[in-house]
Amino acid sequence: PKKYLKTGEVFGPDRTPMGDHLGIHHYNYGGEYTSPQLNLSEPLYVTKYSVHEKKLEISKASFFVQKKFILSKCKMSEETSLTEPLHGVMKTKEGESTDCWIFPKSLSGAVIELESPQIIHEGEMVTILKKKGKNAKVYCTGIVKYINEEPTDRDQGIESVKVDYSRDF
């Protein structure tokens, strides 16, 4: 519809207004944001958009670097143990693979912890295999959801982590 072809606001990493965009139809989630209005020293990427409000949020590439995330709408194979953490290999749609740990949860979900931080987009479908290589059995497959953890507070030697579970499953 023509109503979505109009310009809208752009918000930066700290939610500050950064100007206007040319129209939502010019941008993709995870795509590089270019604008003649801004002189950017490093590229910024679209991290969120609202079609109805015509708003874009942009951040640095580090926004997509994750070490731990939730796998939602997770389909587990019948051979996958749901009682203990499992070591596996995560494979993305680009064909890249990295070692990971699987922590099965209830309600068709699992927490995935990667051996090293990787660029992974929220909403991307990933597969967790038992090992690298041919004929590897599939542990599970599902859709990536970020875990929004706030930095830890160190109060008298005790750490507490605040986690927003409102986006779970």
Side-chain angles (χ1 to χ4, degrees), residues 133-161:
K134 293 182 179 180
N135 301 325
K137 293 188 179 190
V138 174
Y139 274 142
C140 60
T141 186
I143 297 173
V144 173
K145 287 206 170 252
Y146 290 162
I147 298 174
N148 296 325
E149 292 184 7
E150 294 181 14
T152 58
D153 295 328
R154 295 185 184 248
D155 188 350
Q156 300 175 353
I158 300 172
E159 287 189 30
S160 64
V161 178

Short mmCIF file of all heavy atoms in Angstrom, two decimals, residues 133-161:
data_model
loop_
_atom_site.label_atom_id
_atom_site.label_comp_id
_atom_site.label_asym_id
_atom_site.label_seq_id
_atom_site.Cartn_x
_atom_site.Cartn_y
_atom_site.Cartn_z
N GLY A 133 29.90 -32.80 10.06
CA GLY A 133 30.15 -33.76 9.00
C GLY A 133 28.91 -34.45 8.48
O GLY A 133 27.79 -34.16 8.89
N LYS A 134 29.16 -35.37 7.56
CA LYS A 134 28.07 -36.11 6.93
C LYS A 134 27.42 -37.08 7.92
O LYS A 134 28.04 -37.53 8.86
CB LYS A 134 28.60 -36.90 5.74
CG LYS A 134 29.08 -36.03 4.61
CD LYS A 134 29.53 -36.90 3.45
CE LYS A 134 29.99 -36.02 2.30
NZ LYS A 134 30.44 -36.83 1.16
N ASN A 135 26.18 -37.38 7.66
CA ASN A 135 25.40 -38.35 8.44
C ASN A 135 25.26 -37.98 9.92
O ASN A 135 25.10 -38.86 10.76
CB ASN A 135 26.00 -39.75 8.31
CG ASN A 135 26.03 -40.22 6.87
OD1 ASN A 135 25.13 -39.90 6.10
ND2 ASN A 135 27.07 -40.95 6.51
N ALA A 136 25.37 -36.70 10.23
CA ALA A 136 25.19 -36.26 11.62
C ALA A 136 23.70 -36.26 11.95
O ALA A 136 22.88 -35.81 11.17
CB ALA A 136 25.77 -34.87 11.80
N LYS A 137 23.36 -36.75 13.13
CA LYS A 137 21.96 -36.78 13.57
C LYS A 137 21.55 -35.41 14.07
O LYS A 137 22.32 -34.69 14.68
CB LYS A 137 21.78 -37.83 14.66
CG LYS A 137 21.98 -39.23 14.15
CD LYS A 137 21.60 -40.25 15.18
CE LYS A 137 21.81 -41.63 14.57
NZ LYS A 137 21.26 -42.66 15.39
N VAL A 138 20.28 -35.08 13.86
CA VAL A 138 19.73 -33.79 14.29
C VAL A 138 19.23 -33.92 15.71
O VAL A 138 18.42 -34.80 16.02
CB VAL A 138 18.59 -33.36 13.35
CG1 VAL A 138 17.92 -32.10 13.86
CG2 VAL A 138 19.10 -33.15 11.94
N TYR A 139 19.72 -33.04 16.61
CA TYR A 139 19.18 -32.96 17.96
C TYR A 139 17.87 -32.17 17.94
O TYR A 139 16.86 -32.61 18.46
CB TYR A 139 20.15 -32.24 18.90
CG TYR A 139 21.20 -33.12 19.53
CD1 TYR A 139 22.49 -32.62 19.69
CD2 TYR A 139 20.94 -34.40 19.98
CE1 TYR A 139 23.48 -33.40 20.28
CE2 TYR A 139 21.92 -35.17 20.56
CZ TYR A 139 23.18 -34.67 20.71
OH TYR A 139 24.15 -35.43 21.30
N CYS A 140 17.93 -30.96 17.36
CA CYS A 140 16.74 -30.10 17.34
C CYS A 140 16.90 -29.01 16.30
O CYS A 140 17.99 -28.74 15.80
CB CYS A 140 16.49 -29.49 18.72
SG CYS A 140 17.82 -28.48 19.33
N THR A 141 15.80 -28.37 16.01
CA THR A 141 15.78 -27.23 15.10
C THR A 141 14.75 -26.24 15.63
O THR A 141 13.77 -26.64 16.26
CB THR A 141 15.48 -27.67 13.65
OG1 THR A 141 15.62 -26.56 12.79
CG2 THR A 141 14.10 -28.24 13.52
N GLY A 142 14.98 -24.95 15.41
CA GLY A 142 14.05 -23.95 15.91
C GLY A 142 14.43 -22.55 15.48
O GLY A 142 15.34 -22.36 14.68
N ILE A 143 13.74 -21.57 16.05
CA ILE A 143 13.90 -20.17 15.68
C ILE A 143 14.58 -19.41 16.81
O ILE A 143 14.21 -19.56 17.97
CB ILE A 143 12.52 -19.55 15.35
CG1 ILE A 143 11.93 -20.28 14.14
CG2 ILE A 143 12.64 -18.06 15.08
CD1 ILE A 143 10.52 -19.90 13.81
N VAL A 144 15.55 -18.58 16.46
CA VAL A 144 16.36 -17.83 17.42
C VAL A 144 15.57 -16.68 18.03
O VAL A 144 14.92 -15.91 17.32
CB VAL A 144 17.63 -17.27 16.74
CG1 VAL A 144 18.39 -16.34 17.67
CG2 VAL A 144 18.51 -18.39 16.25
N LYS A 145 15.62 -16.57 19.36
CA LYS A 145 15.10 -15.41 20.10
C LYS A 145 16.21 -14.97 21.04
O LYS A 145 16.78 -15.78 21.75
CB LYS A 145 13.86 -15.77 20.91
CG LYS A 145 12.64 -15.97 20.05
CD LYS A 145 11.41 -15.68 20.86
CE LYS A 145 10.21 -15.63 19.97
NZ LYS A 145 9.70 -14.32 19.79
N TYR A 146 16.51 -13.67 21.03
CA TYR A 146 17.56 -13.15 21.89
C TYR A 146 17.13 -13.16 23.35
O TYR A 146 15.95 -12.99 23.67
CB TYR A 146 17.92 -11.71 21.52
CG TYR A 146 18.63 -11.56 20.18
CD1 TYR A 146 18.67 -10.32 19.57
CD2 TYR A 146 19.27 -12.61 19.56
CE1 TYR A 146 19.32 -10.15 18.37
CE2 TYR A 146 19.92 -12.45 18.36
CZ TYR A 146 19.95 -11.21 17.76
OH TYR A 146 20.60 -11.04 16.56
N ILE A 147 18.09 -13.34 24.23
CA ILE A 147 17.88 -13.21 25.67
C ILE A 147 18.40 -11.83 26.03
O ILE A 147 19.58 -11.55 25.84
CB ILE A 147 18.64 -14.28 26.47
CG1 ILE A 147 18.14 -15.67 26.10
CG2 ILE A 147 18.51 -14.03 27.96
CD1 ILE A 147 18.93 -16.80 26.73
N ASN A 148 17.54 -10.98 26.55
CA ASN A 148 17.95 -9.63 26.93
C ASN A 148 18.39 -9.62 28.37
O ASN A 148 17.57 -9.49 29.27
CB ASN A 148 16.79 -8.63 26.72
CG ASN A 148 16.41 -8.52 25.26
OD1 ASN A 148 17.27 -8.61 24.39
ND2 ASN A 148 15.13 -8.35 24.99
N GLU A 149 19.68 -9.77 28.58
CA GLU A 149 20.22 -9.76 29.93
C GLU A 149 20.83 -8.40 30.22
O GLU A 149 21.55 -7.85 29.40
CB GLU A 149 21.31 -10.82 30.09
CG GLU A 149 20.80 -12.23 30.03
CD GLU A 149 21.89 -13.25 30.30
OE1 GLU A 149 23.01 -12.85 30.66
OE2 GLU A 149 21.61 -14.43 30.15
N GLU A 150 20.50 -7.85 31.37
CA GLU A 150 21.12 -6.60 31.81
C GLU A 150 22.46 -6.94 32.43
O GLU A 150 22.66 -8.05 32.92
CB GLU A 150 20.22 -5.89 32.81
CG GLU A 150 18.91 -5.41 32.19
CD GLU A 150 18.04 -4.69 33.21
OE1 GLU A 150 18.55 -4.33 34.28
OE2 GLU A 150 16.86 -4.50 32.91
N PRO A 151 23.39 -5.99 32.43
CA PRO A 151 24.68 -6.26 33.06
C PRO A 151 24.52 -6.65 34.52
O PRO A 151 23.59 -6.21 35.20
CB PRO A 151 25.42 -4.93 32.94
CG PRO A 151 24.70 -4.16 31.90
CD PRO A 151 23.30 -4.66 31.88
N THR A 152 25.43 -7.48 35.01
CA THR A 152 25.34 -7.94 36.39
C THR A 152 25.68 -6.81 37.36
O THR A 152 26.48 -5.93 37.08
CB THR A 152 26.30 -9.11 36.65
OG1 THR A 152 27.62 -8.67 36.34
CG2 THR A 152 25.93 -10.30 35.80
N ASP A 153 25.02 -6.82 38.49
CA ASP A 153 25.30 -5.86 39.56
C ASP A 153 26.16 -6.56 40.60
O ASP A 153 25.84 -7.66 41.06
CB ASP A 153 24.00 -5.41 40.25
CG ASP A 153 23.10 -4.64 39.32
OD1 ASP A 153 23.64 -3.95 38.43
OD2 ASP A 153 21.87 -4.74 39.47
N ARG A 154 27.23 -5.93 40.98
CA ARG A 154 28.09 -6.52 42.02
C ARG A 154 27.85 -5.73 43.30
O ARG A 154 28.31 -4.61 43.44
CB ARG A 154 29.54 -6.47 41.60
CG ARG A 154 29.79 -7.35 40.40
CD ARG A 154 31.25 -7.38 40.07
NE ARG A 154 31.42 -8.14 38.85
CZ ARG A 154 32.00 -9.32 38.79
NH1 ARG A 154 32.49 -9.87 39.87
NH2 ARG A 154 32.10 -9.96 37.66
N ASP A 155 27.09 -6.33 44.17
CA ASP A 155 26.75 -5.68 45.42
C ASP A 155 27.25 -6.57 46.56
O ASP A 155 26.70 -7.64 46.81
CB ASP A 155 25.23 -5.48 45.50
CG ASP A 155 24.84 -4.64 46.68
OD1 ASP A 155 25.69 -4.36 47.54
OD2 ASP A 155 23.66 -4.25 46.75
N GLN A 156 28.29 -6.15 47.21
CA GLN A 156 28.89 -6.87 48.33
C GLN A 156 29.28 -8.29 47.93
O GLN A 156 29.06 -9.25 48.65
CB GLN A 156 27.93 -6.89 49.51
CG GLN A 156 27.59 -5.51 50.01
CD GLN A 156 26.54 -5.54 51.11
OE1 GLN A 156 25.98 -6.57 51.42
NE2 GLN A 156 26.30 -4.39 51.69
N GLY A 157 29.87 -8.43 46.74
CA GLY A 157 30.37 -9.72 46.30
C GLY A 157 29.32 -10.68 45.78
O GLY A 157 29.61 -11.80 45.43
N ILE A 158 28.06 -10.25 45.69
CA ILE A 158 26.98 -11.11 45.20
C ILE A 158 26.56 -10.61 43.82
O ILE A 158 26.30 -9.43 43.65
CB ILE A 158 25.77 -11.09 46.15
CG1 ILE A 158 26.18 -11.58 47.53
CG2 ILE A 158 24.64 -11.92 45.59
CD1 ILE A 158 25.10 -11.41 48.58
N GLU A 159 26.51 -11.51 42.86
CA GLU A 159 26.06 -11.15 41.53
C GLU A 159 24.59 -11.49 41.36
O GLU A 159 24.14 -12.53 41.80
CB GLU A 159 26.85 -11.91 40.46
CG GLU A 159 28.27 -11.45 40.30
CD GLU A 159 28.92 -12.09 39.09
OE1 GLU A 159 28.21 -12.40 38.11
OE2 GLU A 159 30.14 -12.27 39.14
N SER A 160 23.88 -10.59 40.72
CA SER A 160 22.49 -10.88 40.38
C SER A 160 22.28 -10.47 38.93
O SER A 160 22.71 -9.41 38.51
CB SER A 160 21.52 -10.12 41.30
OG SER A 160 21.66 -8.74 41.12
N VAL A 161 21.65 -11.32 38.17
CA VAL A 161 21.39 -11.07 36.77
C VAL A 161 19.91 -10.82 36.61
O VAL A 161 19.08 -11.59 37.07
CB VAL A 161 21.82 -12.27 35.90
CG1 VAL A 161 21.50 -12.01 34.45
CG2 VAL A 161 23.30 -12.55 36.08
#
